[in-house]
Amino acid sequence: MDFNITAEEETLVFRIAERVGAGDSPTDDDLAQELGDEVRPQLQSLLEKGWLVVDRERSLSLSRIAQVAVSSRRETSGPGA
């Protein structure tokens, strides 16, 4: 896994985490419709870096390591941090 991601990729990771946490199963098309087609290269980059996984229905979710990284980041960025 490549932990070097851009600020835009990090924002996208947190957006996907929010949607998945709310019970959604976003696809690349869903995210492109919501955020614009310019997210497609970022999604591809995150897939290549090991941050995202795709299931048979093309739904995106965070890899296990990404889930831990996001959870860790939320804990250190919480209120008062």
Side-chain angles (χ1 to χ4, degrees):
M1 179 167 180
D2 183 351
F3 285 96
N4 297 312
I5 62 173
T6 66
E8 292 84 10
E9 289 171 339
E10 181 179 16
T11 299
L12 187 54
V13 165
F14 277 96
R15 180 64 188 132
I16 293 167
E18 287 173 12
R19 289 189 66 169
V20 169
D24 191 11
S25 299
T27 65
D28 60 329
D29 290 336
D30 295 334
L31 292 165
Q33 184 177 4
E34 176 187 348
L35 303 170
D37 278 332
E38 58 274 2
V39 301
R40 290 186 190 277
Q42 295 170 7
L43 291 170
Q44 184 61 42
S45 177
L46 289 166
L47 283 164
E48 292 169 1
K49 292 176 181 180
W51 283 81
L52 301 179
V53 292
V54 180
D55 67 16
R56 282 190 230 181
E57 290 79 32
R58 292 184 40 228
S59 296
L60 296 165
S61 61
L62 300 182
S63 67
R64 295 236 187 256
I65 295 173
Q67 291 173 17
V68 171
V70 167
S71 176
S72 201
R73 173 68 185 241
R74 284 183 178 151
E75 289 173 10
T76 61
S77 298

